[in-house]
Amino acid sequence: MYEVRKIAGCFFLAVFLLLLPLNGTSQNRFVLDEGKKSDRIAFKLLNNLMLIPVTINGVELTFLLDTGVSSTILFGAAVQDSLRLQNKKSIKIQGLGQNGSVSAYKSVNNKIKIGAAYDLNHSLYVVYDESLNFSPRMGVPIHGIIGYDFFRSFLVRTNYMSKTIKFWDPRNHDFKNCRNCESFDIVLNNKKPFVTTKMTIQDSMKYTTLLVDSGSSDAVWLFDEFNVFSNGPTKYFEDFLGLGLSGDIHGKRSRIQQLKLGDFVLKDVHVAIPEAESIAKARKYAKRDGSLGGEFLRRFTVFYDYPNNRIKLRKNSNFSDPFHYNMSGITVAHDGIEMIKEKFSSFNSSDYFTDRAGQSQQYTGVSLVEESRIVLVPRYIIAAVSKGSSAARMGLEVGDEIIEINGAAAHKMQLSELNELFRSKEGRTVTLRVRNNNVESKVKITLKKIL
């Protein structure tokens, strides 16, 4: 019998980021501003995902750069009116998850710009279901995702250390002089890149065909549970893996002994195995065994060469980082903003002051004055609690608001910093002050490895 441990709700958006190909043939293609042969943009790295600024019809938004999607997707009804979207046609989209399709519409003739790259006739698919809000788990607004249309137009280098993306006109550049790089053939199926790896699972070596998916936070997804558990007992725990367009994605998390891509070898690698019902539509490519995600890709500088069906990898200083899960037992989400009264000190160097008798007196020094002001700050709540975890034993519940972490105001931390803390070091004690129904309490939880 397998050893089973359960945990609720991982914060990662394994997510909508694994959308299925959309109907229709995209003619979208970017070009560079006149006289430009290349450009470089910065990205934010949150939960192993690359967030980039994208301007659509003159409005700057934040998009996920995702090799795992074939078409440009826009989320959030709140921003659609300001974009002046034209020529809209209602459609249905089927994504990952066990539910049915969701309503959307296709909009054409849009102007889109990424750095010095632009497309004046860009088609995008707009999902206007307000319940599909992925921003709380990221802690920042996420307005959409873009993938194939950008990668097909350029040679693209993603540098996870400098957090920059450089892209070149493929007519004027190549990656032949890539030092310390290893090159791999990719198969572009349904506008998505696939690569072949070797995995060692319970002392058995297996070849696997994996989607190179920069839009997944995890290291590896495997679609065939039998490949992981076929040779006897394996530790795993059941988990919420992410949110798809068609509902929640649940499954198991475990480890494999080794992942080998060319001469690059990673050991003791975390894998997620989604339930078969959740990913049935993702297996249109019969050879696909799963995905390589951001937790793997962040260990390299990645060179994407779609025009020549190649990628190149050069390992970086993240390469030997151990693989960790969230060890806190809780999933934290951003829950909007709230107003608080914040105290601060200021210096008063006025030459005069009023004494207690109401008389004006000359003052030659500098005084420190305490004042207060009303500020808007992020609000963090517990979105899930793992069964059997230290957090559960200490009475933490879904909906609890986190006020302080280790004595510091929670609102002074970014959600990504909280998540890194919960993955940091086994045995570390984290002290939380939480509020539930206007009652505050202090709770200590101990980080503990799940596998």
Side-chain angles (χ1 to χ4, degrees):
M1 179 180 292
Y2 304 141
E3 178 181 339
V4 180
R5 283 182 282 179
K6 294 184 179 181
I7 181 173
C10 181
F11 68 87
F12 287 141
L13 303 177
V15 104
F16 64 92
L17 321 170
L18 296 170
L19 297 171
L20 298 178
L22 298 169
N23 293 329
T25 301
S26 172
Q27 300 299 320
N28 297 338
R29 185 176 291 275
F30 286 87
V31 295
L32 288 165
D33 291 338
E34 186 175 355
K36 297 277 290 187
K37 295 182 179 180
S38 65
D39 194 25
R40 186 197 311 262
I41 62 172
F43 66 85
K44 290 183 179 180
L45 185 65
L46 293 179
N47 303 343
N48 298 325
L49 306 177
M50 295 181 289
L51 305 182
I52 63 172
V54 175
T55 300
I56 298 179
N57 298 337
V59 179
E60 186 168 310
L61 304 171
T62 299
F63 270 53
L64 178 81
L65 185 61
D66 181 5
T67 55
V69 293
S70 56
S71 301
T72 303
I73 311 292
L74 177 69
F75 293 96
V79 301
Q80 293 172 31
D81 291 340
S82 63
L83 296 179
R84 302 184 301 276
L85 300 175
Q86 302 296 323
N87 301 310
K88 296 181 290 188
K89 178 183 178 182
S90 296
I91 59 171
K92 293 286 187 179
I93 296 178
Q94 176 70 53
L96 296 189
Q98 299 184 31
N99 300 333
S101 60
V102 298
S103 297
Y105 57 77
K106 179 181 179 180
S107 174
V108 300
N109 300 328
N110 296 286
K111 298 178 181 179
I112 184 169
K113 191 170 179 63
I114 301 174
Y118 67 92
D119 179 6
L120 299 180
N121 186 24
H122 198 80
S123 298
L124 52 86
Y125 294 82
V126 186
V127 177
Y128 48 83
D129 185 341
E130 294 185 6
S131 66
L132 291 172
N133 183 6
F134 307 101
S135 299
R137 295 295 177 92
M138 295 289 285
V140 298
I142 305 294
H143 301 111
I145 48 180
I146 190 166
Y148 176 76
D149 295 328
F150 180 76
F151 285 98
R152 74 190 288 253
S153 303
F154 304 110
L155 303 185
V156 180
R157 182 188 70 196
T158 58
N159 188 324
Y160 284 86
M161 300 308 299
S162 65
K163 297 181 178 58
T164 59
I165 298 165
K166 187 168 183 179
F167 47 97
W168 294 264
D169 184 331
R171 296 172 300 180
N172 301 311
H173 190 75
D174 60 52
F175 290 145
K176 290 181 180 178
N177 297 321
C178 182
R179 294 184 179 180
N180 301 317
C181 292
E182 191 166 350
S183 182
F184 304 94
D185 292 328
I186 58 173
V187 174
L188 287 170
N189 183 276
N190 289 324
K191 306 177 183 178
K192 300 179 182 182
F194 292 83
V195 69
T196 299
T197 71
K198 295 180 182 179
M199 291 185 182
T200 302
I201 304 174
Q202 298 188 64
D203 299 321
S204 176
M205 193 277 287
K206 304 176 185 292
Y207 286 94
T208 55
T209 299
L210 303 179
L211 168 68
V212 180
D213 189 359
S214 66
S216 172
S217 292
D218 289 313
V220 178
W221 275 34
L222 289 178
F223 289 170
D224 189 350
E225 181 176 305
F226 181 78
N227 279 336
V228 182
F229 304 121
S230 59
N231 293 336
T234 297
K235 292 182 179 180
Y236 68 86
F237 61 91
E238 297 177 359
D239 197 9
F240 167 74
L241 302 184
L243 178 62
L245 277 181
S246 298
D248 292 345
I249 304 169
H250 296 271
K252 298 181 176 70
R253 294 191 184 274
S254 187
R255 293 179 185 264
I256 59 172
Q257 291 166 282
Q258 180 175 285
L259 170 64
K260 191 172 189 293
L261 181 57
D263 291 332
F264 299 120
V265 178
L266 291 167
K267 297 181 181 297
D268 200 23
V269 180
H270 287 178
V271 296
I273 306 98
E275 294 175 341
E277 296 83 356
S278 296
I279 47 87
K281 299 292 192 304
R283 303 200 71 170
K284 287 188 175 180
Y285 184 38
K287 295 181 180 180
R288 181 179 178 181
D289 298 303
S291 304
L292 276 179
E295 178 63 22
F296 172 85
L297 296 172
R298 74 174 187 86
R299 298 161 192 270
F300 302 90
T301 297
V302 187
F303 300 79
Y304 295 94
D305 184 358
Y306 279 27
N308 294 299
N309 295 306
R310 306 282 288 175
I311 63 169
K312 293 188 177 186
L313 300 180
R314 180 171 62 212
K315 66 180 179 181
N316 60 32
S317 58
N318 293 330
F319 184 80
S320 298
D321 287 354
F323 292 87
H324 286 313
Y325 289 120
N326 182 338
M327 295 181 283
S328 69
I330 60 174
T331 300
V332 180
H334 184 276
D335 189 44
I337 58 176
E338 60 183 352
M339 292 188 297
I340 66 168
K341 181 180 289 188
E342 182 180 71
K343 293 183 179 181
F344 68 99
S345 299
S346 64
F347 290 101
N348 184 351
S349 58
S350 174
D351 291 337
Y352 293 88
F353 70 98
T354 302
D355 64 17
R356 292 183 179 181
Q359 300 297 316
S360 180
Q361 302 288 341
Q362 188 172 11
Y363 182 74
T364 58
V366 177
S367 60
L368 186 64
V369 180
E370 287 194 358
E371 301 182 68
S372 62
R373 59 191 170 194
I374 301 297
V375 296
L376 296 175
V377 298
R379 181 175 184 267
Y380 298 121
I381 63 167
I382 295 176
V385 181
S386 308
K387 294 181 180 179
S389 67
S390 173
R393 291 193 297 271
M394 296 305 295
L396 291 175
E397 299 178 352
V398 172
D400 286 353
E401 179 182 0
I402 299 177
I403 303 168
E404 290 183 355
I405 300 175
N406 291 335
H411 66 76
K412 294 184 177 180
M413 301 181 69
Q414 296 183 0
L415 183 58
S416 58
E417 293 176 311
L418 299 184
N419 291 326
E420 285 302 314
L421 174 64
F422 295 150
R423 292 158 55 90
S424 58
K425 184 179 180 181
E426 186 177 27
R428 171 173 287 173
T429 297
V430 179
T431 302
L432 303 177
R433 182 177 292 278
V434 300
R435 180 189 293 131
N436 187 312
N437 293 325
N438 294 319
V439 177
E440 295 186 9
S441 58
K442 184 180 288 187
V443 176
K444 291 184 177 182
I445 59 175
T446 301
L447 303 186
K448 183 179 180 180
K449 284 185 178 180
I450 301 168
L451 293 174

